[in-house]
Amino acid sequence: MADNDYFSVSVGDSVEKIRKKIAALPAQLADAGTEAASNLLLDALVNKEIPEYHGGITRMSVYGQTFKTPKMRRWFFWALKSGLINVPYIRRGKSSGIQSSWRLIGRGAKTTITNQAQGAIYLYDNNRQSRFMGLMGVGWNKIGVILAQYTPQMVRSFANAVRQVIKKQGFS
């Protein structure tokens, strides 16, 4: 059998089309394939999708201004120092909270990958990523870009897991 006989997906396929293809598989195959693909994507999100820090990107270069007035700047730094404003995450490194907060929820074909860290939505969301985080100099990819980038590897991982289950059952 060809590699794509078990499960074939193209990058242009919608999530709903992929879900329908998975639902058409026997449960044991769908579970094994989904878990394999999910683990591959989780590993990429935690260990590979960390942009290098590039200095020189400032609020001025992104938004055209830092603070509207000197009074606003003084208030902001006073509020930050006094604890009135809390930064919801540590800003650098893999252990910052956001990067290490990716989790698999559920099992098998019901697996979901989620990140509940505050601020994660402004790094990854396709519609709500902040301009500052998406700039080439900062370089956080939106989740849609990450999924498109890893889809071929996830499909191979899915197909390999399905093949292993079939082989283990003695059908190959």
Side-chain angles (χ1 to χ4, degrees):
M1 288 187 163
D3 282 351
N4 62 0
D5 286 350
Y6 302 116
F7 184 78
S8 65
V9 175
S10 66
V11 175
D13 285 350
S14 69
V15 172
E16 194 54 42
K17 187 173 181 181
I18 293 170
R19 283 187 182 142
K20 286 179 183 177
K21 287 181 178 185
I22 292 172
L25 292 172
Q28 190 177 11
L29 299 180
D31 289 349
T34 302
E35 282 190 20
S38 297
N39 284 322
L40 183 136
L41 183 59
L42 179 68
D43 178 62
L45 288 167
V46 171
N47 297 309
K48 297 177 183 151
E49 287 299 318
I50 307 167
E52 293 292 323
Y53 175 73
H54 300 285
I57 301 296
T58 64
R59 288 188 59 79
M60 177 64 85
S61 66
V62 176
Y63 299 110
Q65 62 185 15
T66 53
F67 296 94
K68 292 193 183 290
T69 66
K71 183 177 180 181
M72 181 186 286
R73 181 185 54 76
R74 286 192 307 272
W75 178 87
F76 172 81
F77 286 108
W78 166 83
L80 189 61
K81 185 177 180 180
S82 68
L84 187 62
I85 296 175
N86 292 317
V87 177
Y89 55 90
I90 300 168
R91 293 177 180 241
R92 300 249 169 99
K94 186 172 131 182
S95 63
S96 69
I98 290 178
Q99 206 60 34
S100 61
S101 293
W102 287 104
R103 299 283 182 266
L104 289 178
I105 297 175
R107 295 198 41 82
K110 303 285 185 197
T111 302
T112 302
I113 300 175
T114 184
N115 189 325
Q116 296 296 318
Q118 288 183 329
I121 199 164
Y122 301 113
L123 289 180
Y124 296 105
D125 190 77
N126 290 325
N127 299 317
R128 293 180 274 188
Q129 184 186 60
S130 73
R131 279 188 288 164
F132 188 80
M133 292 302 161
L135 277 179
M136 294 303 279
V138 178
W140 287 92
N141 287 325
K142 294 179 180 180
I143 197 68
V145 171
I146 294 169
L147 285 171
Q149 178 182 346
Y150 287 96
T151 293
Q153 293 168 336
M154 290 169 58
V155 170
R156 279 193 301 275
S157 180
F158 189 104
N160 287 338
V162 167
R163 252 188 250 98
Q164 287 175 2
V165 170
I166 289 172
K167 187 175 183 177
K168 189 185 287 186
Q169 297 295 324
F171 290 113
S172 63

